[in-house]
Amino acid sequence: MSPFLKLSAAGFAATAISYGPARMGFGLFLAQFKEAFGISTTVAGLISAGGFAGFLLGLIGAYAATAWRGPRLPVIVGLTFATIGMIVVAVASNAGVLALGVILAMTSAGFGWSPYNNAVHQQVTEGLRSRSLSIVSTGTSLGAAMAGAVALALMLGGASWRIAWIAFAGAGLAALVGNWVAMRDVAGNPGRGRTNWRAICVMPALPLYLTALSFGITTTIYISFATDSVAQAGGLAGLPDGGSPAVMFIIYGIAGLAALGTAAIKDRIGLPLLVRGLLLVSALSLALIALSPNSWIGVGAASASQGIFVMMMSAVLAFWSERLFPELPAFSFTATLLAVAMGSIVGPALAGFLSNAFSSSAMFLGAAALSAATAIGMLPRFVQEEPLDCGQDASPLPAH
């Protein structure tokens, strides 16, 4: 099997688990967790924020591990965290144990994606790198759809949500073994693992980091609260209690498979138009959850739009950072994901409090406004992808 196929398939499986049930499972089953453990929306927001804080620490650990022993080690660590965390959730007896499992599982996302920029840069020819990174990032689609399908099947059969988490853990173990084998050629080989903060903290990279920050805030608000908002509004007609979140994740995941064509779309319309268009898709998705939380058309369109946005923007962030900083592929992408992680911590925690203080609709409209404002700010002259000289003293980002 060629390096392109091998790494693309392994990375697809890794992100399917780490960014699928491990990262999104808490939001998918939030209504059941509230009932089983008596947690409030504010507490749910804090648990979610804790998980994304683990994601932030995972990013730092992933870069250090990649620089030390190559990209296979952090991917294996991440999938181990995912498997153990999902087992802990499955056997949780109280809210504290649940929180521990959720945080462990969500931490895996920090380890399981960024090392692939390094692995792909080492093993895949330049002309196929954007396509490979798009496939890796789109694994989230399969993970989300799989999680939703398992949840719906169990609910229709009257089975416990705990069985779903046991199934997720089994899939995590399978992905762990597959990545152990597929990444053998990059084990112990750090590749281009240099660190140069001065090189990446330059003005041409500012749109990348601002987009990543906005992406982190809005997507985690959707992941953490959209399904609960729909459930609180009465759910979708014709579905059993708890069925709406599962259907939303299935639609989200299937629509996100469109991201397999992200690189081709970018080549056709250009990066600036693609970035602005995706941010407007995000705004539409969040606004629909606020305005039509119990409409099949509204919720279906919101789920599909969010799936397309998340998967395509994930691919964009991966190859945008790699193109800007080809000499620092792992480090530049880690820095981009740190911006995502900062937004991911702030988003759920702030959204939980705003939802209680005002309303769920107001919270989602605020998130939609943020996506729209980011789109307006991404003027074509500011968005570039031409490689930057990492040894050159470019204009640094302002201190304030």
Side-chain angles (χ1 to χ4, degrees):
M1 184 180 293
S2 69
F4 168 77
L5 290 175
K6 184 166 57 177
L7 288 178
S8 296
F12 188 91
T15 53
I17 296 300
S18 297
Y19 283 81
R23 185 172 183 253
M24 300 180 183
F26 180 65
L28 174 59
F29 288 92
L30 181 55
Q32 289 94 318
F33 291 152
K34 281 185 168 183
E35 181 179 352
F37 301 106
I39 59 177
S40 66
T41 301
T42 299
V43 171
L46 293 175
I47 292 174
S48 185
F52 287 113
F55 169 58
L56 173 60
L57 294 176
L59 287 172
I60 297 170
Y63 183 75
T66 301
W68 176 46
R69 295 294 298 168
R72 183 170 77 164
L73 176 60
V75 171
I76 296 305
V77 170
L79 289 171
T80 301
F81 274 32
T83 303
I84 294 174
M86 290 187 288
I87 291 173
V88 171
V89 171
V91 302
S93 57
N94 56 58
V97 176
L98 172 71
L100 174 63
V102 168
I103 291 171
L104 280 174
M106 293 179 70
T107 297
S108 70
F111 284 96
W113 184 18
S114 61
Y116 270 96
N117 262 44
N118 184 292
V120 167
H121 201 88
Q122 287 188 52
Q123 297 284 309
V124 178
T125 58
E126 183 175 358
L128 293 174
R129 287 175 190 163
S130 291
R131 186 177 300 176
S132 181
L133 292 173
S134 293
I135 293 171
V136 170
S137 65
T138 309
T140 308
S141 291
L142 177 64
M146 176 190 72
V150 169
L152 183 60
L154 291 174
M155 290 171 193
L156 292 176
S160 169
W161 56 266
R162 296 180 187 274
I163 296 177
W165 284 85
I166 292 172
F168 297 157
L173 181 60
L176 191 159
V177 173
N179 273 267
W180 179 274
V181 174
M183 299 187 75
R184 185 182 292 117
D185 292 341
V186 293
N189 183 11
R192 293 184 172 184
R194 294 189 297 117
T195 300
N196 187 345
W197 284 105
R198 185 177 181 83
I200 66 169
C201 292
V202 292
M203 286 302 296
L206 184 59
L208 169 64
Y209 301 141
L210 290 177
T211 300
L213 180 66
S214 175
F215 174 83
I217 293 172
T218 60
T219 58
T220 52
I221 288 174
Y222 183 93
I223 291 169
S224 300
F225 298 110
T227 58
D228 186 56
S229 179
V230 171
Q232 292 298 320
L236 297 173
L239 293 177
D241 291 342
S244 298
V247 170
M248 290 172 67
F249 271 76
I250 292 171
I251 296 172
Y252 174 103
I254 292 173
L257 290 173
L260 290 170
T262 305
I265 294 172
K266 188 267 294 182
D267 291 341
R268 187 174 184 85
I269 69 174
L271 183 64
L273 184 58
L274 177 58
V275 170
R276 298 184 84 184
L278 288 174
L279 288 165
L280 291 176
V281 168
S282 170
L284 172 64
S285 171
L286 294 162
L288 285 172
I289 291 293
L291 301 175
S292 305
N294 55 5
S295 161
W296 268 97
I297 294 176
V299 172
S303 301
S305 299
Q306 187 68 196
I308 291 170
F309 167 67
V310 170
M311 309 311 167
M312 282 197 169
M313 186 60 81
S314 295
V316 166
L317 294 178
F319 61 64
W320 189 0
S321 64
E322 196 272 341
R323 285 288 296 161
L324 279 179
F325 304 104
E327 297 178 27
L328 301 166
F331 183 58
S332 63
F333 190 42
T334 298
T336 302
L337 290 182
L338 286 174
V340 174
M342 292 302 295
S344 299
I345 295 170
V346 172
L350 182 60
F353 287 111
L354 289 177
S355 181
N356 280 345
F358 298 99
S359 69
S360 175
S361 295
M363 178 260 288
F364 277 105
L365 287 174
L370 175 60
S371 285
T374 308
I376 293 171
M378 291 296 117
L379 299 177
R381 66 177 181 272
F382 295 147
V383 180
Q384 72 169 67
E385 59 174 328
E386 293 303 315
L388 301 175
D389 185 352
C390 294
Q392 185 180 46
D393 288 337
S395 301
L397 294 178
H400 301 286

